[in-house]
Amino acid sequence: MIYGLNIHLFFFFSFSAADPPESEHVAPAIVIGPKNTTVLVGKEAMLECIASARPVNGLAVSWKRDGRRLASGRRLIVPAAAASDAGLYVCEALVSNSTAKPVEAKAYLTVMEPPSMTVQPKEKIFADLDRNVEIPCQASGVPQPRIEWYKDAVPLSKLANARYKVSSATGLMVRRVQPGDGGIFQCFARSPAGETQVHTELLVSSVAPTLLSPPSDQTVTDGDTALFTCQNSGAPKPAITWRKGSQVIASGSVQIPRFTLLQSGGLQIQPVSVQDSGEFTCIASNSEGTINATAALTVWSRTVISVPPDDQRVIKGTTAVLACNATHDPRIKISFKWDRGGVPVMPSSGGRVSVRPGSLTISQTWSGDIGDYTCSVTSQAGNDSRSARLEVIELPHSPRSLTALLSDSDSRSVHLSWLRPFDGNSPLLYYVLELSENNSPWKVYLSEVDPAVSEVLVGGLTPARTYQFRLCAVNQVGRGQYSAETQRMMLREEAPSAPPNNIVASGRTNQSIMVQWQPPPESELNGVLRGYVLR
Ligand SMILES: *[C@@H]1O[C@H](CO)[C@@H](O)[C@H](O)[C@H]1NC(C)=O
Ligand SMILES: *[C@@H]1O[C@H](CO)[C@@H](O)[C@H](O)[C@H]1NC(C)=O
Ligand SMILES: *[C@@H]1O[C@H](CO)[C@@H](O)[C@H](O)[C@H]1NC(C)=O
Ligand SMILES: *[C@@H]1O[C@H](CO)[C@@H](O)[C@H](O)[C@H]1NC(C)=O
Ligand SMILES: *[C@@H]1O[C@H](CO)[C@@H](O)[C@H](O)[C@H]1NC(C)=O
Ligand SMILES: CC(=O)N[C@H]1CO[C@H](CO)[C@@H](O)[C@@H]1O
């Protein structure tokens, strides 16, 4: 409750000859403004404001807070200040029926609250050795009290113990409790409004180890990671030792590659090998006792493809066999699967394609069987897959559109051209060109024509003879069919290229000479012999 005392209109000014007549107006002024005031909660607070003006009977002093009018009068009294009364108070002086502006003065009222504990520790706190313990202590008040800690009546600031962490938000944290931490802890909350304190007794205890999650039996595949748990509790914190049989494999002081003692007390083995199979024991011990637990490790040897399929080229119509065998742990089952380019290979009903453990057999192969075949083996102890390419090859087809033209530049040459045939899925090695001269049987004329060309100039022919040509392509499989033979064509006649042979002249009579000779060889005639010129 706030109310104004009605003894306002306190004024003190004196009159002199220089003073203006009483009828004149003097604007209101605040002579002594209110002062910033601090009171304890529940006590009386008083703000005072002294103003002057003329005419004095028009002067009114009033109080406002947050724009709300509270009371009028020189003094504002708050009989029992509450926290909600704190704030800015405004004293306003005005002269009624005057045009003079009201004047204001301001002051803050601060309501202090003595410290009080909001969170406090229990009377006794039990802490396990080596564990962290928190002693809660929080206080509130206005102004916010300072928290100060004492241990056995000595300020913590004097002890300078790095394991003692004071937080104003929570309390005191004692890390890794030691036997010497036992004692009385006092928490003081102090402010100008007063002080309060609480205390607690910290009791340090030790506990024999227990296993919260003992190790369980593990089965892992060679090369993977094995993890045994050995989550434990105890005070002081138990020391963990792992043994395999009688051999210590991991502890605070023993470190062996692949075996890692985890912070949690667990054991990690990475990578696991088949020889690691056996029993592992976790031993937790501290000053109060020792406990152990044992679990077995089973290591499967990893499934791997031992006989992978090989790339193959088979001749069309023959049987292709793609091998695939795997080694695996005898204790597990494995299964094989084949696919071609990601599509599963299914055994065909007619038995042309059959899948047996260790192989894929395809009989009566054709070009539709060409592809990348993948053998996949799946098992609990690992998966593996290997691929191979199957090519089905056949004889090349016959060259098409073989044409022969007489050469313009060389009367004894023929220009041949053709279209490249299907190569039978195996690169062409060469072409074989045959000709038949004057209807005689076919004979090889060019035995290794570059497979890259599709035309050739056949030279060295004989004029006036007839010729026919045919061509076949050869690949790894063999010699393909001959092309259709060309039309029979005749080379132009030419003058004999050799003279007659063995010309002999002898006198027969006293008036005549006998001249005898042999004609030029047949191959040099270059046409039908029409006669001789004798000179
Ligand atoms: C009163 O308190 C307010 C706020 O706390 C401050 O700004 C002001 O200066 C104080 N006045 C006096 C006269 O001390
Ligand atoms: C103020 O003026 C009103 C009329 O305007 C009058 O009734 C009243 O008495 C005056 N008050 C004072 C204090 O002079
Ligand atoms: C494990 O504890 C048992 C008794 O609980 C004890 O007989 C045994 O010797 C211990 N083994 C090891 C390796 O400490
Ligand atoms: C596959 O390999 C295993 C052992 O590695 C062998 O016993 C088996 O006979 C083989 N199978 C075939 C089909 O080769
Ligand atoms: C092996 O393959 C199976 C089936 O595809 C799959 O479920 C399993 O996760 C695979 N195992 C590994 C270790 O990749
Ligand atoms: C010129 C010459 O001696 N002519 C003789 C050629 O031989 C015949 C007989 O064989 C003679 O009769 C010619 O006198």
Side-chain angles (χ1 to χ4, degrees):
M1 270 269 284
I2 297 174
Y3 47 87
L5 280 197
N6 241 353
I7 8 168
H8 53 106
L9 310 186
F10 194 90
F11 46 94
F12 34 170
F13 44 85
S14 54
F15 300 95
S16 76
D19 286 331
E22 201 171 328
S23 63
E24 284 199 16
H25 290 253
V26 175
I30 289 171
V31 181
I32 301 176
K35 297 200 169 51
N36 282 351
T37 305
T38 299
V39 290
L40 262 184
V41 69
K43 299 283 188 242
E44 181 186 276
M46 197 257 281
L47 295 172
E48 195 170 31
C49 180
I50 299 175
S52 71
R54 196 176 291 173
V56 86
N57 56 352
L59 177 62
V61 176
S62 60
W63 296 89
K64 290 189 295 183
R65 183 180 167 205
D66 298 334
R68 255 182 335 111
R69 199 163 291 280
L70 297 173
S72 50
R74 181 161 64 95
R75 285 183 176 162
L76 177 73
I77 303 234
V78 184
S84 59
D85 295 325
L88 180 65
Y89 288 79
V90 180
C91 153
E92 186 189 70
L94 57 82
V95 176
S96 51
N97 285 3
S98 155
T99 53
K101 276 200 171 154
V103 290
E104 285 185 350
K106 298 171 184 177
Y108 278 92
L109 175 62
T110 306
V111 179
M112 289 199 300
E113 289 175 62
S116 73
M117 292 293 171
T118 53
V119 178
Q120 44 185 298
K122 286 179 278 186
E123 250 175 73
K124 286 175 192 293
I125 293 180
F126 296 91
D128 289 342
L129 261 182
D130 269 335
R131 303 281 166 183
N132 296 345
V133 67
E134 189 167 292
I135 306 175
C137 179
Q138 293 166 39
S140 68
V142 180
Q144 179 66 36
R146 257 176 311 115
I147 301 278
E148 279 161 29
W149 288 88
Y150 291 74
K151 175 174 185 287
D152 300 326
V154 181
L156 280 202
S157 51
K158 282 221 179 113
L159 291 178
N161 188 327
R163 289 184 297 104
Y164 295 169
K165 260 259 152 21
V166 175
S167 147
S168 59
T170 53
L172 171 65
M173 164 77 88
V174 179
R175 284 195 254 171
R176 285 178 283 109
V177 169
Q178 301 299 303
D181 293 332
I184 304 288
F185 283 83
Q186 279 172 290
C187 168
F188 276 85
R190 291 182 172 129
S191 83
E195 77 167 37
T196 184
Q197 66 96 17
V198 288
H199 62 267
T200 185
E201 184 176 4
L202 183 67
L203 297 147
V204 180
S205 56
S206 51
V207 181
T210 52
L211 295 184
L212 305 175
S213 73
S216 54
D217 291 354
Q218 304 279 313
T219 299
V220 295
T221 300
D222 184 23
D224 286 351
T225 300
L227 192 63
F228 283 114
T229 58
C230 189
Q231 210 184 344
N232 56 86
S233 73
K237 189 173 160 57
I240 304 295
T241 302
W242 280 92
R243 287 172 184 254
K244 185 189 177 199
S246 61
Q247 191 199 356
V248 173
I249 51 164
S251 75
S253 54
V254 176
Q255 286 172 7
I256 296 178
R258 300 196 297 118
F259 297 91
T260 309
L261 177 61
L262 303 176
Q263 201 71 44
S264 64
L267 175 69
Q268 178 180 289
I269 310 172
Q270 186 184 36
V272 164
S273 87
V274 174
Q275 294 76 28
D276 296 335
S277 297
E279 303 225 303
F280 289 78
T281 303
C282 167
I283 302 160
S285 69
N286 69 7
S287 53
E288 303 301 307
T290 297
I291 193 168
N292 71 53
T294 299
L297 175 66
T298 304
V299 182
W300 282 333
S301 55
R302 184 168 287 278
T303 302
V304 286
I305 291 179
S306 51
V307 181
D310 288 328
D311 288 350
Q312 299 226 358
R313 298 189 131 199
V314 296
I315 292 170
K316 182 180 175 180
T318 62
T319 296
V321 178
L322 291 161
C324 185
N325 199 3
T327 56
H328 62 94
D329 194 288
R331 289 165 290 187
I332 59 146
K333 277 200 157 63
I334 62 169
S335 68
F336 287 98
K337 196 167 60 74
W338 285 92
D339 68 61
R340 187 180 75 180
V343 180
V345 173
M346 295 300 177
S348 66
S349 51
R352 195 179 76 82
V353 177
S354 64
V355 179
R356 273 186 290 274
S359 66
L360 168 70
T361 306
I362 305 173
S363 57
Q364 296 294 315
T365 51
W366 66 295
S367 57
D369 295 325
I370 293 170
D372 293 311
Y373 288 77
T374 304
C375 167
S376 304
V377 52
T378 53
S379 74
Q380 275 178 286
N383 299 335
D384 198 4
S385 72
R386 301 288 287 271
S387 296
R389 180 149 187 93
L390 174 65
E391 297 277 2
V392 177
I393 57 177
E394 53 186 289
L395 290 175
H397 288 186
S398 56
R400 284 166 302 122
S401 307
L402 178 65
T403 32
L405 290 172
L406 289 171
S407 167
D408 296 331
S409 52
D410 178 358
S411 59
R412 298 186 180 194
S413 294
V414 167
H415 182 261
L416 279 180
S417 67
W418 61 92
L419 293 178
R420 187 183 165 78
F422 168 60
D423 65 2
N425 295 317
S426 174
L428 294 184
L429 301 175
Y430 52 86
Y431 293 102
V432 174
L433 176 70
E434 291 191 352
L435 60 72
S436 154
E437 193 180 55
N438 287 346
N439 276 323
S440 60
W442 290 100
K443 62 175 208 259
V444 174
Y445 190 69
L446 295 174
S447 60
E448 286 199 8
V449 178
D450 182 349
V453 307
S454 61
E455 57 182 345
V456 70
L457 193 65
V458 184
L461 303 177
T462 310
R465 291 194 186 165
T466 66
Y467 289 98
Q468 246 184 324
F469 300 93
R470 65 181 192 179
L471 187 73
C472 71
V474 180
N475 69 4
Q476 189 196 346
V477 185
R479 183 179 279 222
Q481 293 223 315
Y482 281 102
S483 65
E485 50 212 44
T486 57
Q487 294 284 326
R488 184 161 291 280
M489 66 192 314
M490 178 181 266
L491 262 53
R492 280 191 307 276
E493 286 188 21
E494 285 179 23
S497 44
N501 285 330
N502 303 328
I503 185 160
V504 186
S506 55
R508 268 283 184 77
T509 61
N510 53 0
Q511 280 179 334
S512 65
I513 294 175
M514 170 91 142
V515 180
Q516 277 182 308
W517 67 90
Q518 287 170 332
E522 172 68 23
S523 60
E524 306 287 340
L525 288 180
N526 299 340
V528 179
L529 198 57
R530 302 254 166 79
Y532 297 93
V533 177
L534 183 66
R535 288 195 187 149

